[in-house]
Amino acid sequence: MKEKKEPTVWQGFKSFLMRGNVVDLAVAVVIGAAFTNIVNSVVKGVINPLVGAIGTQNLDSYSSCLKGPCAKAADGSVSRGVMILWGSVLGATLTFVITAAVVYFLMVLPMSKYLARAEARKRAREGTHEVIEVTELEVLKEIRDALVSQRGSGHSRE
């Protein structure tokens, strides 16, 4: 009896790297990193000024003192008290919502519509193909029936 050799670590690693989903994931990470820069620019260049029309352009400056007295150092760090920096959370949330909206409206929605149209075309082609096959099958049945009827009438003459 021959025993199966287990793949080596190197063979397993090579197999892992050659899977399509690993390459797809790597591409997604690179595209995501580049896309993050675009979203951050939109937040800093458009969203923050719009919020700044109401308050301040820097969302990071919004905070509340939980346990006072609160004081910030010159570098922006909290030197006294306990401060909740809810402005940075708001900025991160806006960045997430904008990223999700752009990904959905510019990537997911058009791709799903494209795939739906492609699937509809494929179904239409398959439907046409089935009609052609059914028609050919009906023609062959008619030919068979005609041959059987001719054969039947030919036997009666003999």
Side-chain angles (χ1 to χ4, degrees), residues 3-9 11:
E3 290 184 30
K4 282 189 173 180
K5 283 176 86 179
E6 286 206 22
T8 64
V9 174
Q11 289 171 333

Side-chain angles (χ1 to χ4, degrees), residues 65-87:
C65 188
L66 185 64
K67 184 176 179 183
C70 292
K72 283 188 178 180
D75 64 354
S77 64
V78 179
S79 61
R80 269 193 328 209
V82 177
M83 193 169 290
I84 297 177
L85 306 172
W86 59 271

Side-chain angles (χ1 to χ4, degrees), residues 43 47-48 51 56-64 72 83-95:
V43 169
I47 302 298
N48 286 351
V51 173
T56 179
Q57 286 192 6
N58 186 3
L59 292 176
D60 292 338
S61 66
Y62 288 109
S63 62
S64 298
K72 283 188 178 180
M83 193 169 290
I84 297 177
L85 306 172
W86 59 271
S88 60
V89 174
L90 179 62
T93 303
L94 286 173
T95 301

Side-chain angles (χ1 to χ4, degrees), residues 17-130:
L17 287 180
M18 292 308 193
R19 288 186 201 159
N21 56 356
V22 172
V23 174
D24 292 343
L25 182 60
V27 169
V29 167
V30 170
I31 295 293
F35 190 69
T36 299
N37 291 332
I38 294 170
V39 172
N40 287 337
S41 296
V42 169
V43 169
K44 288 179 184 173
V46 177
I47 302 298
N48 286 351
L50 290 174
V51 173
I54 300 168
T56 179
Q57 286 192 6
N58 186 3
L59 292 176
D60 292 338
S61 66
Y62 288 109
S63 62
S64 298
C65 188
L66 185 64
K67 184 176 179 183
C70 292
K72 283 188 178 180
D75 64 354
S77 64
V78 179
S79 61
R80 269 193 328 209
V82 177
M83 193 169 290
I84 297 177
L85 306 172
W86 59 271
S88 60
V89 174
L90 179 62
T93 303
L94 286 173
T95 301
F96 172 77
V97 169
I98 291 169
T99 304
V102 169
V103 166
Y104 179 76
F105 289 112
L106 295 182
M107 295 179 187
V108 173
L109 190 62
M111 183 57 79
S112 63
K113 285 184 179 182
Y114 169 77
L115 292 175
R117 283 194 302 263
E119 184 66 27
R121 276 184 260 145
K122 181 180 174 186
R123 285 185 187 157
R125 268 185 274 139
E126 287 175 356
T128 305
H129 188 63
E130 288 175 11

Side-chain angles (χ1 to χ4, degrees), residues 148-158:
V148 167
S149 68
Q150 284 178 358
R151 189 180 291 164
S153 63
H155 285 295
S156 62
R157 288 184 190 167
E158 292 179 9

